[in-house]
C-alpha cells in the first residue's frame, strides 16, 4: 500500500465519521421529537418491543463484515444514548436547587426559618395537661423561644401507648402559645384533620411515620400553611425530597425539611443522626433544613455536641423536646430535657457562637 493510498483511505474514513455523526444527530432529533409526542400523550418513553424490532431488522439486513452480535451491540449503544437524551429533559423537581437557586425563607411568628440564622423549636413530646403546658411555655419564654412544639396526635408504635389528646390538645397548645407569644408546631396524622388544624397550628408537622402517607401530603399541599416534614425512619434523602415535592407541587411552597435520624443497627442512640443529610439536602434543595436532636439521639447527655454539629453543617434550626417533669411524661419520658437542663443546654449553645446574638423580636 502506498503512502498516498493510506492518506486517501484515512481521508475517506474522516469523511465517513462525519457522515455517521451527522446521521446520529439527525436520528437523535427524531428521537427527541418522538419523546415530545409521547410526553404529550403521557406514554412511557422507553419501548422495549420497538427496540427489539429495530434490532431484529438491522440484524436481518446485516451485510457484514460485522457479525450480528456486534451490530446488536453497536446499535444498542446508539439507542441507549438516545434514551439518555430523553431522560436529560426530565423535569427538575420544584424543591430542587436547580429550579430555584435562592434559599426559601419561611416566616413564622416573626422568625425567619431558612434565613441564615438558626431557630429553635422546643416543647414537650406530647401535650398533656394545662399545667404541664403552662409550665413549659413560661420556662421556654425566658429563653426567647418563639416556636412551641407539642403533639396532640401521637403516632405511637404500640396501640396501648398514650395516643394524644387530639383536638383538645391542639386547643391547649394554641392557648399556651398565645399566652407566651409563641407559634404552634404540632403534628397532624390524618388528611381529614388538616383543614381543622389550620385554626390551631402555625406549622403543620408531618411525622416520620407519615412521610409517605401520600394522601396526607396531598392535603397538606392543598392548604397555605408551613409544613414541617420529617424524614421517614427508613427513607432515603431522595424519598424525603419526593415527599416534599408532593406538598410543593400542590401549591404549598412553605416546606421545612427535618432530619430526625434513621434506623440502623446501632443501639447506642435511638436512631442514627444522618448528619451528612443536612448539607446534602441544603445542596439539593432550596428548602430550609432543620435537625431534631431529640428523636435522632433519644438521649439527653449528648444534645449539646449534637446541636453544635447540626448547626456546624448548616442546619437552619433545631428541634428539642422539653418537659417540666420528664420522668412522668406520657411519651418519650427518657429523652426530654427538664427546664434547668434546657437552660444549661441553651447556655452551652449560645457560648458556642452558633446562635444569633440577638433574640428575634415577635411580631404577633
Ligand atoms: C415528634 O416529633 O413528636 C415525633 C413523633 O417525631 P418523629 O415523627 O420524628 O418520630
Ligand atoms: Mn417525642
Amino acid at each position: 500500500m502506498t503512502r498516498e493510498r493510506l492518506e486517501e483511505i484515512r481521508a475517506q474514513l474522516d469523511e465517513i465519521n462525519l457522515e455517521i455523526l451527522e446521521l446520529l444527530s439527525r436520528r437523535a432529533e427524531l428521537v427527541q421529537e418522538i419523546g415530545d409526542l409521547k410526553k404529550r400523550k403521557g406514554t412511557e418513553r422507553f419501548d422495549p418491543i420497538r427496540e427489539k424490532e429495530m434490532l431484529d431488522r438491522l440484524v436481518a439486513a446485516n451485510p457484514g463484515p460485522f457479525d450480528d452480535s456486534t451490530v446488536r451491540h453497536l446499535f444498542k449503544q446508539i439507542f441507549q444514548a438516545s434514551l439518555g437524551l430523553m431522560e436529560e429533559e426530565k423535569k427538575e423537581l420544584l424543591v430542587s436547587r436547580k429550579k430555584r437557586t435562592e434559599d426559601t425563607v419561611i416566616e413564622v411568628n416573626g422568625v425567619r426559618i431558612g434565613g441564615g440564622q438558626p431557630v429553635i423549636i422546643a416543647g414537650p413530646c406530647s401535650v398533656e395537661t394545662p399545667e404541664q403546658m403552662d409550665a413549659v411555655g413560661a420556662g421556654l419564654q425566658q429563653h426567647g423561644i418563639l416556636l412551641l412544639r407539642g403533639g396532640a396526635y401521637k403516632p405511637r408504635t404500640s396501640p396501648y401507648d398514650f395516643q394524644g389528646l387530639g383536638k383538645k390538645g391542639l386547643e391547649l397548645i394554641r392557648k399556651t402559645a398565645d399566652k407566651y407569644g409563641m407559634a404552634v408546631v404540632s403534628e397532624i396524622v390524618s388528611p381529614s384533620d388538616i383543614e381543622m388544624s389550620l385554626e390551631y397550628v402555625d406549622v403543620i408537622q408531618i411525622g416520620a411515620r407519615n412521610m409517605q402517607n401520600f394522601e396526607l401530603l396531598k392535603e397538606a399541599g392543598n392548604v397555605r400553611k408551613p409544613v414541617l416534614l420529617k424524614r421517614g425512619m427508613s427513607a432515603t434523602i431522595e424519598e424525603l425530597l419526593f415527599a416534599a415535592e408532593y406538598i410543593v407541587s400542590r401549591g404549598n411552597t412553605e416546606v421545612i425539611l427535618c432530619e430526625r435520624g434513621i434506623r440502623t443497627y446501632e443501639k447506642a442512640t435511638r436512631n442514627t443522626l444522618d448528619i451528612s443529610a443536612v448539607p446534602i439536602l441544603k445542596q439539593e434543595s432550596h428548602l430550609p433544613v432543620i435537625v431534631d436532636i431529640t428523636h435522632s439521639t433519644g438521649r439527653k447527655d449528648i444534645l449539646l455536641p449534637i446541636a453544635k454539629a447540626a448547626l456546624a453543617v448548616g442546619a437552619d434550626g433545631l428541634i428539642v423536646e422539653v418537659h417540666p417533669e420528664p420522668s412522668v411524661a406520657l411519651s418519650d419520658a427518657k429523652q426530654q430535657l427538664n427546664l434547668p437542663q434546657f437552660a444549661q443546654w441553651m447556655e452551652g449553645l449560645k457560648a458556642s457562637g452558633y446562635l444569633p446574638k440577638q433574640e428575634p423580636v415577635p411580631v404577633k
Side-chain angles (χ1 to χ4, degrees):
M1 197 183 281
T2 62
R3 180 146 195 89
E4 291 76 45
R5 177 64 186 142
L6 188 64
E7 289 304 317
E8 200 180 297
I9 295 173
R10 281 185 171 159
Q12 275 181 36
L13 281 181
D14 285 343
E15 193 119 325
I16 289 176
N17 284 343
L18 288 172
E19 280 171 30
I20 293 174
L21 182 62
E22 206 182 306
L23 283 170
L24 283 175
S25 304
R26 259 174 55 202
R27 187 184 189 285
E29 279 171 25
L30 291 172
V31 170
Q32 276 174 323
E33 203 178 321
I34 291 177
D36 287 345
L37 289 171
K38 284 191 173 175
K39 193 166 128 190
R40 250 173 271 158
K41 270 175 61 188
T43 42
E44 186 55 53
R45 309 218 188 155
F46 175 59
D47 182 348
I49 297 171
R50 167 81 184 135
E51 182 171 307
K52 185 179 177 307
E53 277 170 9
M54 288 194 291
L55 287 173
D56 288 347
R57 204 168 292 157
L58 286 160
V59 166
N62 180 14
F66 292 123
D67 62 26
D68 290 352
S69 67
T70 307
V71 169
R72 265 183 203 284
H73 178 74
L74 285 171
F75 276 89
K76 258 187 178 275
Q77 293 293 313
I78 294 172
F79 297 168
Q80 195 79 42
S82 307
L83 202 65
L85 267 181
M86 292 205 271
E87 272 161 13
E88 262 170 40
E89 285 180 51
K90 210 171 57 182
K91 220 172 89 187
E92 289 300 342
L93 296 185
L94 294 168
V95 300
S96 165
R97 267 281 173 214
K98 293 200 186 97
K99 213 54 185 176
R100 182 190 149 104
T101 47
E102 326 86 81
D103 285 340
T104 287
V105 178
I106 298 168
E107 196 161 328
V108 184
N109 196 23
V111 182
R112 287 159 58 83
I113 307 174
Q117 299 221 314
V119 299
I120 292 171
I121 301 171
C125 180
S126 299
V127 177
E128 298 169 5
T129 62
E131 296 72 30
Q132 169 234 17
M133 288 309 290
D134 196 65
V136 83
L140 294 175
Q141 191 196 37
Q142 290 181 11
H143 298 278
I145 297 301
L146 293 168
L147 303 168
L148 178 66
R149 66 147 285 145
Y153 297 93
K154 298 303 298 177
R156 304 304 299 280
T157 304
S158 163
Y160 304 117
D161 286 341
F162 177 59
Q163 300 288 307
L165 299 180
K167 199 169 168 201
K168 286 252 168 307
L170 288 184
E171 286 166 8
L172 191 46
I173 190 172
R174 177 76 270 165
K175 220 173 121 196
T176 313
D178 286 345
K179 179 172 172 190
Y180 294 107
M182 297 171 178
V184 171
V185 181
S186 198
E187 177 164 358
I188 301 299
V189 294
S190 161
S192 58
D193 283 341
I194 293 276
E195 195 70 37
M196 171 279 288
S197 76
L198 301 179
E199 204 183 318
Y200 304 100
V201 307
D202 299 295
V203 178
I204 298 168
Q205 180 172 320
I206 293 185
R209 288 156 196 80
N210 272 316
M211 190 206 83
Q212 283 189 321
N213 180 339
F214 298 113
E215 294 312 311
L216 184 63
L217 298 175
K218 286 181 196 167
E219 216 34 57
N222 288 340
V223 296
R224 297 296 171 263
K225 184 77 87 172
V227 175
L228 193 166
L229 177 64
K230 298 186 109 183
R231 179 178 182 182
M233 54 188 85
S234 309
T236 62
I237 291 172
E238 188 183 34
E239 285 163 344
L240 172 60
L241 290 173
F242 273 122
E245 187 77 4
Y246 262 90
I247 302 167
V248 173
S249 63
R250 299 213 152 214
N252 189 359
T253 54
E254 304 207 303
V255 176
I256 304 153
L257 303 171
C258 178
E259 163 59 38
R260 47 78 73 204
I262 50 175
R263 193 164 268 190
T264 70
Y265 52 80
E266 181 53 65
K267 292 191 293 191
T269 47
R270 181 174 171 181
N271 291 289
T272 297
L273 175 61
D274 182 7
I275 198 80
S276 53
V278 178
I280 292 172
L281 285 168
K282 294 291 295 177
Q283 252 175 57
E284 302 269 315
S285 173
H286 50 81
L287 297 174
V289 179
I290 63 170
V291 173
D292 180 335
I293 58 170
T294 297
H295 290 95
S296 53
T297 59
R299 50 192 288 173
K300 298 190 264 193
D301 56 342
I302 54 169
L303 289 189
L304 183 57
I306 293 298
K308 288 187 205 168
L311 298 181
V313 294
D316 295 302
L318 305 170
I319 296 181
V320 58
E321 280 188 345
V322 184
H323 191 289
E325 219 178 324
S327 60
V328 297
L330 297 177
S331 58
D332 286 350
K334 277 207 310 234
Q335 69 186 26
Q336 304 194 60
L337 295 180
N338 63 26
L339 286 161
Q341 286 165 338
F342 176 72
Q344 207 181 359
W345 176 81
M346 276 296 280
E347 211 173 289
L349 201 55
K350 277 189 184 147
S352 76
Y354 283 114
L355 282 186
K357 298 266 177 301
Q358 286 166 341
E359 297 300 345
V361 181
V363 289
K364 253 199 200 166

